[in-house]
Amino acid sequence: MRLRPIGRNPPANSSQVKSFWLGWGSVCVAGAGAYYFAKREINADRQAKLEAHRQKRYDNRAMEYGIPNSSAGAAKPDYAGSPSAESNNDPAPGGQDLGIESKPKREKEDISPYESKVGYRSRKGERFS
């Protein structure tokens, strides 16, 4: 009695071998194509989300700091390098009295129970001897 190997029978002719490799080759090509197109779509989605996130952050900063929208109105002229033109745009020009008075000194009753009634004074003299 002759023993046969366990498992799949060897192909009877070469046409079965060709069709086997043709089948696996087509599966690999289809998988590679699916991977390529899926990766393109995922990258496009990521890029769109990133652009939307950047635009949202820019809009939030524009609202917070009062930066005008680039789409609204004409751009302001740039006066960089012209000190006389730049001085007109200072939000708080230095060296001028704006009429703001300092706060009046607090009364003793106005002090919190957790604050000291007497200000801190450093000790005078030699402390290391």
Side-chain angles (χ1 to χ4, degrees):
M1 182 168 149
R2 190 170 155 198
L3 297 173
R4 287 192 303 174
I6 298 175
R8 197 166 57 91
N9 289 334
N13 58 23
S14 65
S15 67
Q16 285 180 338
V17 173
K18 289 178 186 173
S19 65
F20 171 80
W21 287 112
L22 181 64
W24 273 109
S26 63
V27 166
C28 290
V29 168
Y35 173 79
Y36 173 77
F37 288 111
K39 185 120 175 114
R40 265 184 38 186
E41 184 178 346
I42 289 169
N43 285 342
D45 287 346
R46 283 181 181 165
Q47 189 68 29
K49 284 181 184 178
L50 178 66
E51 187 59 37
H53 180 69
R54 283 182 180 163
Q55 185 64 35
K56 184 178 177 183
R57 284 179 55 194
Y58 177 78
D59 290 343
N60 286 342
R61 286 192 178 140
M63 278 197 318
E64 186 176 342
Y65 297 116
I67 300 171
N69 254 352
S70 59
S71 60
K76 291 177 19 179
D78 184 18
Y79 294 114
S82 175
S84 61
E86 287 178 4
S87 67
N88 294 336
N89 297 329
D90 283 346
Q96 297 180 7
D97 182 20
L98 300 178
I100 300 173
E101 296 177 13
S102 64
K103 292 182 182 178
K105 298 209 176 197
R106 295 177 12 178
E107 299 295 326
K108 292 288 184 191
E109 300 84 36
D110 195 26
I111 295 177
S112 156
Y114 301 105
E115 292 183 54
S116 173
K117 307 254 189 261
V118 180
Y120 174 76
R121 270 193 253 157
S122 64
R123 298 187 318 190
K124 308 290 185 227
E126 176 88 27
R127 288 182 289 257
F128 300 111
S129 60

